[in-house]
Amino acid sequence: MITKCNIRNYTIFEHNDLLFSYFEYIGDDFEADMTRMARDPDTQRWWRQTDPCQLPPPNATTGQWAVLPEIWHQA
């Protein structure tokens, strides 16, 4: 489903107790693709299994992950 929703080069990193991820979005409607992913039964089942293992940082909006600001990019 990640690939079907136009996400490529998706990586999850770990540093001590902190997980963070990186991915490249190649589509043209991010919100629609994320809605499609959220409606997928296999994705929902995966999230039910993995969500209890993950806590967002304190500054994240309730129920959301924190989005890190990009401060530098070399293309």
Side-chain angles (χ1 to χ4, degrees):
M1 184 52 58
I2 290 170
T3 301
K4 290 178 182 178
C5 290
N6 297 305
I7 291 176
R8 304 294 185 276
N9 296 320
Y10 183 34
T11 305
I12 299 174
F13 300 90
E14 178 184 16
H15 178 69
N16 298 322
D17 290 335
L18 178 66
L19 296 177
F20 64 96
S21 65
Y22 168 86
F23 63 84
E24 296 171 6
Y25 178 71
I26 62 168
D28 56 17
D29 191 341
F30 184 77
E31 292 297 325
D33 281 330
M34 296 305 100
T35 298
R36 177 182 182 194
M37 186 179 302
R39 290 182 178 155
D40 175 61
D42 290 331
T43 301
Q44 291 174 4
R45 185 171 54 252
W46 177 249
W47 288 347
R48 280 192 303 274
Q49 292 175 354
T50 60
D51 279 358
C53 303
Q54 304 173 64
L55 298 174
N59 62 336
T61 304
T62 302
Q64 299 292 319
W65 292 104
V67 176
L68 302 175
E70 182 176 305
I71 60 168
W72 187 80
H73 177 83
Q74 170 65 37

